[in-house]
């Protein structure tokens, strides 16, 4: 709290005035451009690494940047992420949804460990249920991120060489993904990349987005942040892999976005 209060004091005499001006501009002319899903990890500061500002993005954060599939909304218990999608894409007519995963994600590292338990015939149902009851994090991951784990296991079976197939905006818009083809990252990071891509299908599962997605008025993108290098990757459906966003690739990536999403 000490650090926080001192920070607020510094904010008051440095950026506050400029921010209030920006708030007024946004009130008169609100044009948010993206709904951005990312992890709660303290190292992830999306407005800094995308250099975005007041009024630019709606940001939704949770452990492991997971968007529950709509099948879990049926019981009306899981409402946060879909409510954010509705507020962003329907009420505010935002056209781009971005899911941003990252390396060394503690939630994904736990999900990776859970595979031994969730898929092991040695673990009894009661044991699994008790584990979930005492750990909301385990419950969250094993309910909503198991589909990512299943995809990871498909990759494992093929010794990480075969591509995976994901679904994006509509069931017809499937895409192929080679996960970490240069084998630069750990298994946990590979799972994190898979989990990021899996969310595209989960987002598209919501009926209230269906028309917008079918008419190509709403687009879903996957970003991945490598914490220890600071590099950011965009999933390219043309290249079928995460491509580093740098001086060499950025124009190509922008052209692809225009081609695919116009
Ligand atoms: Zn994380």
């Amino acid at each position: 709290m000490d650090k926080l209060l001192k920070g607020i004091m510094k904010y008051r005499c440095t950026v506050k005035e400029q921010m209030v001006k920006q708030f007024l501009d946004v009130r008169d002319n609100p044009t948010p451009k993206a709904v951005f899903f990312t992890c709660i990890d303290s190292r992830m500061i999306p407005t800094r690494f995308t250099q975005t500002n007041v009024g630019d993005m709606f940001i939704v954060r949770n452990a492991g940047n997971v968007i529950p599939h709509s099948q879990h909304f049926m019981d009306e218990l899981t409402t946060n992420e879909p409510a954010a999608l509705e507020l962003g894409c329907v009420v505010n007519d935002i056209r781009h949804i971005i899911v941003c995963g990252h390396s060394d994600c503690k939630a994904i590292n736990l999900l990776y460990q859970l595979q031994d338990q969730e898929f092991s015939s040695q673990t009894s149902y009661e044991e699994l249920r008790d584990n979930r009851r005492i750990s909301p994090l385990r419950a969250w991951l094993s309910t909503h991120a198991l589909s990512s784990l299943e995809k990871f296991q498909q990759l494992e079976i093929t010794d990480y060489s075969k591509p995976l197939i994901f679904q994006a905006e509509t069931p017809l818009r499937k895409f192929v993904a080679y996960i970490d083809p240069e084998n630069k990252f750990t298994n946990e990071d590979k799972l994190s990349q898979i989990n990021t891509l899996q969310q595209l299908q989960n987002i598209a599962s919501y009926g209230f987005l269906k028309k917008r997605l079918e008419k190509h008025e709403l687009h879903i993108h996957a970003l991945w942040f490598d914490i220890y290098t600071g590099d950011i990757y965009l999933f390219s459906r043309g290249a079928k892999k995460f491509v580093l966003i740098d001086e060499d690739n950025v124009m190509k990536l922008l052209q692809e976005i225009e081609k695919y999403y116009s």
Side-chain angles (χ1 to χ4, degrees):
M1 281 312 287
D2 185 58
K3 188 174 165 63
L4 221 75
L5 294 189
K6 283 181 182 149
I8 292 170
M9 290 312 292
K10 192 173 167 199
Y11 148 83
R12 284 177 65 82
C13 48
T14 52
V15 292
K16 183 183 142 187
E17 198 179 329
Q18 192 200 352
M19 275 183 92
V20 170
K21 270 193 207 130
Q22 290 171 337
F23 294 145
L24 294 175
D25 283 349
V26 168
R27 184 192 64 187
D28 299 336
N29 181 30
T31 52
K33 292 287 188 283
V35 179
F36 195 99
F37 287 93
T38 193
C39 184
I40 54 171
D41 194 297
S42 62
R43 298 165 294 182
M44 295 294 279
I45 310 181
T47 49
R48 206 179 290 176
F49 65 71
T50 59
Q51 294 287 293
T52 44
N53 217 320
V54 170
D56 288 338
M57 302 199 295
F58 283 28
I59 300 178
V60 190
R61 306 183 67 154
N62 63 38
N65 44 269
V66 175
I67 296 97
H69 190 279
S70 64
Q71 74 198 33
H72 299 287
F73 178 59
M74 298 308 172
D75 51 14
E76 292 172 20
L77 290 174
T78 307
T79 54
N80 181 46
E81 292 73 20
L85 285 170
E86 187 183 352
L87 184 61
C89 303
V90 179
V91 179
N92 281 278
D93 204 22
I94 291 174
R95 303 294 177 92
H96 292 269
I97 304 168
I98 297 154
V99 184
C100 181
H102 68 101
S103 63
D104 190 31
C105 178
K106 305 306 179 200
I108 297 299
N109 293 352
L110 176 63
L111 178 67
Y112 184 77
Q113 289 164 19
L114 283 180
Q115 67 177 330
D116 297 335
Q117 296 175 15
E118 296 286 327
F119 290 95
S120 158
S121 53
Q122 308 292 316
T123 317
S124 71
Y125 175 74
E126 285 74 23
E127 222 175 306
L128 279 177
R129 197 187 53 198
D130 288 347
N131 275 342
R132 289 183 196 194
R133 219 172 254 165
I134 50 174
S135 165
L137 181 58
R138 277 165 179 254
W140 166 251
L141 293 171
S142 51
T143 307
H144 299 301
L146 218 53
S147 52
S148 304
L149 208 47
E150 283 165 3
K151 279 255 162 70
F152 176 80
Q153 297 199 322
Q154 284 175 31
L155 187 72
E156 221 175 13
I157 289 167
T158 66
D159 209 18
Y160 307 100
S161 60
K162 289 252 169 67
L164 293 172
I165 295 173
F166 293 88
Q167 186 198 305
E169 288 81 3
T170 67
L172 291 174
R173 297 189 84 185
K174 292 204 165 61
F175 65 91
V176 167
Y178 287 87
I179 303 298
D180 188 19
E182 288 146 22
N183 201 21
K184 288 198 295 190
F185 300 107
T186 62
N187 282 354
E188 288 86 340
D189 287 349
K190 287 179 179 52
L191 174 60
S192 165
Q193 294 191 347
I194 290 171
N195 177 65
T196 305
L197 295 174
Q198 184 65 19
Q199 304 319 309
L200 274 58
Q201 184 168 344
N202 289 357
I203 289 168
S205 70
Y206 286 92
F208 63 85
L209 298 178
K210 197 168 171 231
K211 272 208 185 97
R212 284 177 159 79
L213 290 166
E214 280 172 356
K215 288 200 260 172
H216 298 199
E217 290 171 358
L218 180 59
H219 311 297
I220 320 175
H221 314 270
L223 280 181
W224 199 74
F225 188 96
D226 183 14
I227 295 265
Y228 295 113
T229 61
D231 283 335
I232 302 167
Y233 297 78
L234 175 69
F235 187 82
S236 158
R237 296 190 204 178
K240 303 182 173 68
K241 60 177 187 176
F242 279 98
V243 173
L244 176 67
I245 304 170
D246 68 359
E247 292 70 16
D248 292 338
N249 297 328
V250 71
M251 287 314 292
K252 245 186 287 167
L253 290 168
L254 281 170
Q255 281 165 4
E256 184 187 311
I257 287 170
E258 240 167 65
K259 188 179 125 209
Y260 270 84
Y261 305 110
S262 57

